[in-house]
Amino acid sequence: MAMAMAPSSSRVISLLLCLLFTLISHITAQPSFLYHFCMNDKGNYTENSAYHTNLNTLLSTLSSNTEVDYGFYNFSQGQGSDKVNAIGMCRGDVKPESCRSCLNDSRVLLMHRCPNQKEAIGWYDNCMLRYSNRSIFDTMEPDPTYFLWVGINATDMNQFIQVLRNLLESLRTNASSGDSLKKYAAGSTAGPSFQTIFALLQCTPDLSEQECDDCLVRAISNINDRCYGLTKCRIGKPSCNLRFDTSPFYDSTADASPSSPSKESPPPPVTNTNATSTKGKSNSTGIVIAVVVPIFVVLVLLISVCIFIRARKRKRSFHNHNDTNNNISYWLPTKKGG
Ligand SMILES: *[C@@H]1O[C@H](CO)[C@@H](O)[C@H](O)[C@H]1NC(C)=O
Ligand SMILES: *[C@@H]1O[C@H](CO)[C@@H](O)[C@H](O)[C@H]1NC(C)=O
Ligand SMILES: *[C@@H]1O[C@H](CO)[C@@H](O)[C@H](O)[C@H]1NC(C)=O
Ligand SMILES: *[C@@H]1O[C@H](CO)[C@@H](O)[C@H](O)[C@H]1NC(C)=O
Ligand SMILES: *[C@@H]1O[C@H](CO)[C@@H](O)[C@H](O)[C@H]1NC(C)=O
Ligand SMILES: *[C@@H]1O[C@H](CO)[C@@H](O)[C@H](O)[C@H]1NC(C)=O
Ligand SMILES: *[C@@H]1O[C@H](CO)[C@@H](O)[C@H](O)[C@H]1NC(C)=O
């Protein structure tokens, strides 16, 4: 569209550019979810309705609760058809303070990402938050499922898969036998090619041992869908999640030393992650693609505009030095991890 503009419209182009930068810096201002689902088919609430008020109250109560120190929050707010239920769960090794801060971020972002939706779920590295008008406690929900992976095959795939399976089986028993406050297990083992395999499994602790086990069995079998033979993968479901990697990613001292003073682990490096979600059986949508494609289009457009402006500058030797050249670096990945 910019290409077709008359020569005198360079100010319009600059303005457009400005708007684009503003838009992008706005989008990147908040850490984004690893993944989220807005449940479009589960109903919408109206602005300032009782449901809306209950949701706001519930989520701020949840994310500011300082009594829970085991990383699991299951709260409700309201009565009858305006009742809202929410579950917040932090990764088993996350300290209470980081947990609260993660849930607080989730609260803001999930309502922003899924405006007026009665039901939604979002995952960060450190926590998961979901809410609904239905009863969601003590219920095993294996769908929807998200996958995040890096497309690097293990060098010795068959042996890698075998070792990984053994590790996951052992962790599955340990996670599902956890108590009603925490169902979490993380561990590592020596894999082929001098690599160490790290893995983590977790259920919401409101599930029974059997339900947790069922959920984890499904998550583990989902490895075949997207992550077969790969060295890095995450699979998340409302009731449980799984992650494995050849680099360490969890705090193995978390249970041993309850409160090492403010030792925040640094955000993990941004990896070239490929994302998708299951189709058909696992009832989910291609949200990541829906986000990535428009951003890519905008990026191409912006670069085109910049090239266009630079070409014009050269031709007419503008003296108003704008910052179009430098601004390109603004586009390079600045995403905060987690
Ligand atoms: C939740 O909201 C949907 C849509 O408004 C409604 O059909 C459903 O009955 C509600 N569920 C409960 C348990 O109130
Ligand atoms: C709720 O709103 C979303 C858009 O915000 C729409 O896609 C969806 O169909 C609506 N759901 C219902 C049940 O009306
Ligand atoms: C929670 O998030 C809000 C909005 O981003 C922020 O103003 C507030 O300081 C946060 N609270 C905590 C305890 O982090
Ligand atoms: C990984 O292995 C699969 C076979 O299981 C193969 O189809 C694929 O091309 C491999 N990918 C890479 C990046 O080597
Ligand atoms: C919330 O979870 C705790 C710990 O798992 C449990 O004791 C409690 O009964 C749950 N509350 C509700 C309302 O389900
Ligand atoms: C599972 O728990 C047992 C007993 O606490 C422990 O010995 C074992 O190492 C755990 N397995 C893994 C893979 O962490
Ligand atoms: C992501 O995965 C899809 C399907 O396996 C593949 O076609 C695509 O090339 C991958 N993209 C990247 C960037 O790895």
Side-chain angles (χ1 to χ4, degrees), residues 70 72-74 76 137-138 180-181 205-206:
Y70 46 87
F72 179 67
Y73 304 76
N74 50 347
S76 300
F137 305 151
D138 311 318
S180 67
L181 303 185
D206 56 337

Side-chain angles (χ1 to χ4, degrees), residues 40-44 115-117:
N40 292 323
D41 57 340
K42 295 289 168 60
N44 296 327
N116 303 337
Q117 313 255 299

Side-chain angles (χ1 to χ4, degrees), residues 69-111:
D69 62 359
Y70 46 87
F72 179 67
Y73 304 76
N74 50 347
F75 293 153
S76 300
Q77 180 78 31
Q79 306 291 331
S81 61
D82 296 321
K83 183 173 178 179
V84 191
N85 306 294
I87 287 182
M89 181 174 74
C90 289
R91 221 170 69 181
D93 57 345
V94 170
K95 306 273 189 299
E97 198 186 309
S98 316
C99 180
R100 274 194 297 280
S101 135
C102 183
L103 290 170
N104 190 41
D105 286 347
S106 307
R107 162 178 83 98
V108 176
L109 192 59
L110 198 53
M111 289 186 72

Side-chain angles (χ1 to χ4, degrees), residues 14-80:
S14 302
L15 190 71
L16 257 178
L17 215 69
C18 245
L19 281 172
L20 281 171
F21 284 138
T22 312
L23 185 75
I24 295 310
S25 49
H26 187 74
I27 288 170
T28 52
Q30 247 167 343
S32 52
F33 283 124
L34 287 173
Y35 214 91
H36 74 280
F37 293 102
C38 305
M39 313 300 240
N40 292 323
D41 57 340
K42 295 289 168 60
N44 296 327
Y45 59 81
T46 45
E47 206 68 25
N48 300 319
S49 61
Y51 192 88
H52 191 185
T53 311
N54 287 338
L55 181 58
N56 273 327
T57 309
L58 176 61
L59 295 188
S60 53
T61 311
L62 189 150
S63 59
S64 61
N65 179 300
T66 51
E67 277 159 35
V68 170
D69 62 359
Y70 46 87
F72 179 67
Y73 304 76
N74 50 347
F75 293 153
S76 300
Q77 180 78 31
Q79 306 291 331

